Amino acid sequence: MGNIQPIEYHYGFIPNQGGRECSVFDNLILVGDSAGQSNPLVLEGIRHAIEFGRLAGEVGANSIEKNCSKESLIQYEKIWKKKLSSKIESSLRVQSRWLKFSDDDWDNELDIIREMSVDELLDFVKGDFSASKMVKLALNHPKIAAKQLFNLVLKR
Ligand SMILES: Cc1cc2nc3c(=O)[nH]c(=O)nc-3n(C[C@H](O)[C@H](O)[C@H](O)COP(=O)(O)OP(=O)(O)OC[C@H]3O[C@@H](n4cnc5c(N)ncnc54)[C@H](O)[C@@H]3O)c2cc1C
């Protein structure tokens, strides 16, 4: 690829402690990173900020007649948490497993990851852990180490 030089650097902080306990207040809705909606495994947050930004706009507009009170905005929090909370929590469990890894642990984990199909891996890193997908993963990858990883994701 020839002589490649960096032309600019991109960096920044992403809140990475899971969803905020409370994301609505009187006259205020938190969306995206401020609500802790980014995926802890790969720290992608753009699609959640867009999806739940739209939702915040809809719920906010509908609550104008109620002075945008916290109670009138709570529907926003209920909807995004129902869609995302369990995925974020599962991703956080995998993340905390990965953060403790030694090089040898990583070699073993990569053996599991290497056996996943591209679609399985994408679902996994996106935190798309529906029960049916996890059952399929467990069936496709019966090794004990793989099962431990998938059980960790499913733990409630
Ligand atoms: C280096 C890096 C790479 C990333 N790569 C990806 C990726 O590939 N895919 C992906 O999905 N996500 C990625 N992310 C995460 C993604 O950028 C964020 O999750 C997403 O931008 C969150 O959107 P947001 O609107 O919540 O916050 P932001 O995009 O951070 O927007 C917040 C805005 O508020 C402004 N602001 C802050 N304080 C004030 C203030 N007091 N008054 C007025 N304005 C204020 C800021 O200037 C900013 O423009 C990356 C993040 C980083 C740092």
Side-chain angles (χ1 to χ4, degrees):
M1 293 180 75
N3 183 18
I4 298 169
Q5 299 295 327
I7 50 173
E8 55 186 41
Y9 292 92
H10 293 258
Y11 58 93
F13 294 104
I14 306 174
N16 183 32
Q17 292 164 302
R20 276 185 76 111
E21 202 173 311
C22 190
S23 60
V24 290
F25 303 85
D26 288 338
N27 300 307
L28 180 67
I29 304 179
L30 303 184
V31 176
D33 285 0
S34 63
Q37 291 169 347
S38 58
N39 168 350
L41 277 188
V42 283
L43 299 173
E44 61 137 351
I46 295 173
R47 68 193 166 100
H48 297 147
I50 293 172
E51 179 183 353
F52 297 122
R54 288 200 179 114
L55 175 66
E58 282 164 23
V59 174
N62 292 335
S63 75
I64 288 174
E65 283 178 357
K66 292 174 183 159
N67 292 327
C68 297
S69 63
K70 178 176 175 174
E71 291 71 33
S72 67
L73 299 173
I74 202 77
Q75 193 61 11
Y76 161 78
E77 181 163 296
K78 284 186 182 158
I79 295 173
W80 84 256
K81 287 197 168 171
K82 191 170 176 212
K83 280 189 151 179
L84 200 60
S85 284
S86 70
K87 292 180 181 179
I88 290 180
E89 282 158 25
S90 296
S91 297
L92 277 173
R93 284 195 291 275
V94 176
Q95 185 199 54
S96 65
R97 166 185 167 105
W98 285 353
L99 287 174
K100 289 181 215 137
F101 271 5
S102 64
D103 286 353
D104 287 343
D105 294 332
W106 266 116
D107 286 343
N108 293 332
E109 194 84 340
L110 287 174
D111 284 342
I112 301 172
I113 290 172
R114 224 174 263 129
E115 288 184 6
M116 289 182 182
S117 69
V118 172
D119 286 341
E120 286 173 340
L121 179 62
L122 284 178
D123 283 344
F124 195 80
V125 294
K126 279 194 301 190
D128 201 353
F129 301 126
S130 68
S132 60
K133 281 184 180 168
M134 294 314 294
V135 169
K136 270 190 205 152
L137 266 180
L139 289 173
N140 289 346
H141 305 277
K143 282 185 189 163
I144 289 175
K147 281 199 167 151
Q148 280 172 349
L149 175 61
F150 304 144
N151 281 340
L152 183 73
V153 168
L154 281 174
K155 200 172 107 191
R156 293 280 183 264

